[in-house]
């Protein structure tokens, strides 16, 4: 007998689908949650309920991710909270979440047979591993006679449609992408969450040992020490995501006047929405966010679109696989010890160290703070490959997204997409623009909190007496600067200039213009065929100065 311990009538599933007037039920459906950890705007979940007799909402703890992805304890905690919230919302509909351990290739054949499944539904995922995984699962489902339904809902648009509209090529500039989206029109409206009516006659077989067999695990079960987690400022889950969205959308004047450059990277409380972790895990639908913004904007003057919240979250169009990876400028030998120094917040530059301390503790920092760190690690100061920085952010960010993380690091390192390499974020002056007193540094680096404002960004310049009075001796209690910014930033600009000149000699994809670089018209395939040749030449180039 299968029944719900929390269902008052304790009715076996088989009896829920019989009797006069009952709808003909045919399918036993698994809805596979991966991203898209929500009930609202989940068309694949709704598809699983059509003509459905039994429904199993499933989340797989795939061992591939712990082995191949860097995941901090903070992000594991966010995921587990999201799963707990999802299970709670399913309970309200008379269902439960089944958390299953194992790889999809091993788990699904067993579940298909054990549960006599006839339909599998899930949300489209565009990342490389996900595409391979889903193709493999599709073949397994076909072998077991299981219908597969995939729906686009993690992204604003179907990324395959964008490629078709662009003659099979990935758009390589933001302007080109915006032009393509304009031809497609507004994103589809979000679909409503399933209701009690949708669930009428649908049973989730659930035993008394459900929590023991299929419950959400603890951090300890995943090999994580909860004592190492930072403060839980951004709890995971759809409930929290929608609550945060509602609060922000009530700030009509702030929403309509939002401009990215006017937000502060070192505000003591976030100057942006911090909805990105909820979009990354799919606790919040990108389409729901987009249309809520559209409703707020109606009849109101809005800031320049590219700087607005609409413009900022247009990045949710999806994980297009950017194929232009590295240039000569980024191909240095990885200096892992220096990268670790940055990730641990001990570079000797208080602004950079405060950012990394916040990131490691809280799992989120402002986008301009990310820019400052990325520039510092790569072309600005340390001349380390953007891929080393990508690894650090992949581990620590709650909102770490495979494509966006890689794309942003390539952008900030001027390896691809952005080529004004002479525009360098100062690890000293940039933070002063919005926080002259250094309150942000004092919050995240308490060892420096007693320094006068005149020295808070450059404590090494403070006289010994000032350092003693502040209770912090530079070189003993706080490290000296890892580099001389004024010297190395100028040197690195020349390195970049040399790298771009040599790439131009190789017939690369860039040609110079007055304000930066202009891309020649080439397909992604053309770029890839040239990459191997470029790499072999670039490896012979001496970029050590």
């Amino acid at each position: 007998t299968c029944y719900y311990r929390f269902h008052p009538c304790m009715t076996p599933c088989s009896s829920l689908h019989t009797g006069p007037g009952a709808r003909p039920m045919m399918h036993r459906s698994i809805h596979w949650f991966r991203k898209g950890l929500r009930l609202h705007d989940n068309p694949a979940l709704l598809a699983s309920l059509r003509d459905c007799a039994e429904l199993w909402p499933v989340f797989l703890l795939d061992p591939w991710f712990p082995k191949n992805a860097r995941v901090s304890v903070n992000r594991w905690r966010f995921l587990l909270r999201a799963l707990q919230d999802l299970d709670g919302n399913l309970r309200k509909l008379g269902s439960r979440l089944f958390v299953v351990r194992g790889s999809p290739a091993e788990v699904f054949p067993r579940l298909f047979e054990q549960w006599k499944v006839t339909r599998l539904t899930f949300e489209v995922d565009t990342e490389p591993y996900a595409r391979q995984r889903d193709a493999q699962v599709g073949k397994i489902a076909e072998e077991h006679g299981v219908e597969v339904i995939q729906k686009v809902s993690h992204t604003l648009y179907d990324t395959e449609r964008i490629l078709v509209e662009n003659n099979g090529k990935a758009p390589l500039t933001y302007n080109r992408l915006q032009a393509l989206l304009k031809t497609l029109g507004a994103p589809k409206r979000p679909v409503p969450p399933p209701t009690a009516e949708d669930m009428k006659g649908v049973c989730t077989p659930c035993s008394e040992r459900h929590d023991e067999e299929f419950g959400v695990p603890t951090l300890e079960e995943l090999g994580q020490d909860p004592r190492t987690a930072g403060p839980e400022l951004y709890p995971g889950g759809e409930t929290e995501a929608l609550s945060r969205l509602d609060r922000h959308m009530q700030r009509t004047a702030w929403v309509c006047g939002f401009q990215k450059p006017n937000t502060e990277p070192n505000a003591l409380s976030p100057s942006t929405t911090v909805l990105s972790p909820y979009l990354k895990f799919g606790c919040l639908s990108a389409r729901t966010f987009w249309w809520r913004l559209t409703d707020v904007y109606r009849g109101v003057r809005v800031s320049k679109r590219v700087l607005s919240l609409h413009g900022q979250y247009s990045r949710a169009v999806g994980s297009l696989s950017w194929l232009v990876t590295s240039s000569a400028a980024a191909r240095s030998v990885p200096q892992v010890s220096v990268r670790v120094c940055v990730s641990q917040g001990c570079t000797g530059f208080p602004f950079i160290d405060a950012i990394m301390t916040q990131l490691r503790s809280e799992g989120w920092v402002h986008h301009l703070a990310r820019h400052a760190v990325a520039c510092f690690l790569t072309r600005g100061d340390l001349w380390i490959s953007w891929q080393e920085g990508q690894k650090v952010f992949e581990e620590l960010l709650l909102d770490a997204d495979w494509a966006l993380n890689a794309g942003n690091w390539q952008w900030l390192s001027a390896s691809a997409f952005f080529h004004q390499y002479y525009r360098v974020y100062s690890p000293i002056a940039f933070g002063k623009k919005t926080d002259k007193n250094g309150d942000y540094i004092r919050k995240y680096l308490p060892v420096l909190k007693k320094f006068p404002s005149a020295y808070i960004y450059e404590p090494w310049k403070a006289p010994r007496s000032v350092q003693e009075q502040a209770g912090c001796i530079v070189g003993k209690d706080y490290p000296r600067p890892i580099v001389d910014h004024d010297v190395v930033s100028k040197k690195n600009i020349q390195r970049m200039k040399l790298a771009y000149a040599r790439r131009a000699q190789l017939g690369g994809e860039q040609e110079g213009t007055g304000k930066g670089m202009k891309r020649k018209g080439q397909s992604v395939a053309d770029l890839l065929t040239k990459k191997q040749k470029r790499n072999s030449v670039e490896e012979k180039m001496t970029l050590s100065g």
Side-chain angles (χ1 to χ4, degrees):
T1 302
C2 61
Y3 54 83
Y4 305 110
R5 286 185 290 140
F6 50 88
H7 196 291
C9 67
M10 308 292 277
T11 308
C13 287
S14 59
S15 67
L16 293 176
H17 317 303
T18 60
R23 292 182 297 170
M25 295 296 177
M26 299 167 52
H27 283 285
R28 294 183 177 88
S29 299
I30 288 178
H31 177 72
W32 182 16
F33 285 100
R34 300 98 65 83
K35 298 173 185 175
L37 300 179
R38 64 180 185 271
L39 301 187
H40 76 277
D41 192 28
N42 197 330
L45 176 59
L46 291 181
S48 71
L49 296 176
R50 288 197 296 268
D51 298 329
C52 180
E54 295 179 350
L55 170 70
W56 287 270
V58 168
F59 181 87
L60 298 187
L61 281 173
D62 187 345
W64 183 91
F65 286 100
K67 292 179 181 178
N68 296 277
R70 298 166 183 83
V71 182
S72 67
V73 62
N74 288 337
R75 192 152 88 246
W76 275 120
R77 181 179 61 187
F78 188 99
L79 171 62
L80 298 185
R81 290 282 187 268
L83 295 178
Q84 290 166 355
D85 182 71
L86 180 60
D87 183 45
N89 290 335
L90 287 167
R91 281 174 180 251
K92 296 173 184 177
L93 293 173
S95 186
R96 290 295 303 268
L97 179 67
F98 291 70
V99 179
V100 183
R101 283 74 165 170
S103 69
E106 296 172 346
V107 167
F108 278 121
R110 172 169 56 85
L111 296 185
F112 290 161
E113 294 179 6
Q114 180 178 337
W115 294 343
K116 296 180 172 52
V117 174
T118 61
R119 176 193 284 155
L120 173 67
T121 65
F122 52 86
E123 181 182 69
V124 170
D125 192 335
T126 59
E127 293 186 11
Y129 167 72
R131 292 169 69 94
Q132 297 173 3
R133 173 198 64 195
D134 294 351
Q136 182 183 27
V137 169
K139 292 179 180 178
I140 294 172
E142 183 180 5
E143 292 169 359
H144 287 77
V146 174
E147 175 190 18
V148 174
I149 299 176
Q150 301 184 54
K151 297 287 186 179
V152 173
S153 56
H154 186 67
T155 54
L156 285 177
Y157 295 87
D158 182 347
T159 56
E160 294 297 324
R161 175 75 185 280
I162 294 173
L163 293 174
V164 169
E165 294 292 328
N166 201 44
N167 299 318
K169 298 180 291 185
L172 298 180
T173 67
Y174 186 75
N175 287 338
R176 178 56 183 161
L177 177 60
Q178 291 292 86
L180 290 169
L181 299 185
K182 187 175 181 180
T183 65
L184 296 178
K188 291 182 179 179
R189 286 191 174 273
V191 300
T195 63
E197 182 63 26
D198 295 316
M199 295 292 294
K200 188 176 181 180
V202 179
C203 170
T204 294
C206 185
S207 74
E208 286 186 319
R209 301 181 64 231
H210 179 87
D211 289 332
E212 180 182 342
E213 296 178 346
F214 301 109
V216 177
T218 64
L219 283 170
E220 291 89 345
E221 290 177 71
L222 297 176
Q224 301 292 318
D225 184 352
R227 295 172 298 180
T228 63
E232 193 172 12
L233 303 181
Y234 316 109
E238 178 182 19
T239 302
E240 177 68 19
L242 294 176
S243 175
R244 285 176 176 265
L245 178 64
D246 287 340
R247 293 200 300 270
H248 285 302
M249 293 303 101
Q250 290 170 8
R251 304 164 62 195
T252 303
W254 180 82
V255 169
C256 294
F258 180 92
Q259 294 193 48
K260 174 183 176 181
N262 294 339
T263 58
E264 299 177 2
N266 43 15
L268 296 185
S269 58
S271 58
T272 58
T273 64
V274 196
L275 288 172
S276 53
Y278 301 92
L279 289 166
K280 177 264 188 298
F281 281 95
C283 302
L284 175 64
S285 156
R287 298 191 301 206
T288 295
F289 186 29
W290 197 95
W291 281 103
R292 285 290 298 275
L293 282 173
T294 299
D295 292 339
V296 173
Y297 288 158
R298 293 189 194 281
V300 180
R301 182 178 178 83
V302 181
S303 58
K304 187 177 179 182
R305 182 54 58 91
V306 71
L307 304 179
S308 70
L309 280 171
H310 249 176
Q312 291 309 297
Y313 283 96
S314 288
R315 70 180 194 166
V317 294
S319 302
L320 290 174
S321 298
W322 299 107
L323 299 175
V324 184
T325 54
S326 61
S327 70
R331 294 186 59 79
S332 60
V333 177
Q335 302 175 44
V336 178
S337 60
V338 179
R339 188 254 293 175
V340 171
C341 186
V342 174
S343 70
Q344 295 293 337
C346 55
T347 68
F349 289 92
F351 180 55
I352 299 298
D353 292 344
I355 292 170
M356 293 308 299
T357 301
Q358 181 189 14
L359 176 57
R360 182 167 291 279
S361 173
E362 301 174 6
W364 181 90
V365 290
H366 188 278
H367 57 271
L368 293 179
R370 305 180 194 199
H371 290 188
V373 167
C375 183
F376 178 82
L377 185 76
T378 58
R379 61 185 172 84
D381 291 80
L382 301 187
W383 201 251
I384 295 176
S385 168
W386 62 267
Q387 293 167 315
E388 294 300 308
Q390 177 194 15
K391 294 174 186 176
V392 175
F393 275 27
E394 178 187 326
E395 175 188 356
L396 299 180
L397 282 171
L398 294 177
D399 58 16
D401 175 275
W402 178 80
L404 293 175
N405 189 33
N408 284 333
W409 273 95
Q410 290 175 72
W411 176 284
L412 267 301
S413 64
S415 301
F417 314 123
F418 175 78
H419 308 284
Q420 296 179 24
Y421 55 82
Y422 44 83
R423 296 175 58 184
V424 175
Y425 289 84
S426 167
I428 300 166
F430 184 63
K432 288 183 179 180
K433 293 180 180 179
T434 51
D435 182 21
K436 291 182 179 179
N437 189 48
D439 292 334
Y440 177 79
I441 292 172
R442 298 177 202 280
K443 176 180 179 179
Y444 290 102
L445 299 179
V447 68
L448 300 176
K449 66 181 179 181
K450 294 183 180 180
F451 268 82
S453 299
Y455 298 110
I456 191 69
Y457 283 89
E458 301 171 282
W460 61 90
K461 290 186 176 181
R464 177 78 179 198
S465 60
V466 173
Q467 296 182 33
E468 290 175 349
Q469 189 173 2
C472 175
I473 305 300
V474 176
K476 175 186 175 184
D477 305 305
Y478 181 73
R480 297 185 182 279
I482 194 170
V483 292
D484 184 331
H485 171 71
D486 290 337
V487 173
V488 299
S489 61
K490 293 181 176 63
K491 183 177 181 180
N492 288 346
I493 288 174
Q494 294 305 311
R495 284 172 160 174
M496 294 292 293
K497 184 176 181 180
L498 174 63
Y500 274 97
R502 290 186 172 177
R503 185 166 62 176
Q505 292 175 2
L506 294 174
E509 70 273 15
Q510 315 290 336
E511 59 182 1
T513 66
K515 295 185 179 181
M517 310 298 285
K518 181 178 179 182
R519 187 179 302 278
K520 293 181 180 180
Q522 296 186 69
S523 68
V524 175
D526 292 334
L527 299 177
L528 285 175
T529 56
K530 292 181 179 180
K531 177 185 173 184
Q532 189 173 13
K533 175 182 177 182
R534 284 204 313 270
N535 287 352
S536 62
V537 175
E538 289 167 1
E539 288 171 353
K540 300 176 183 178
M541 294 164 51
T542 302
L543 295 175
S544 57

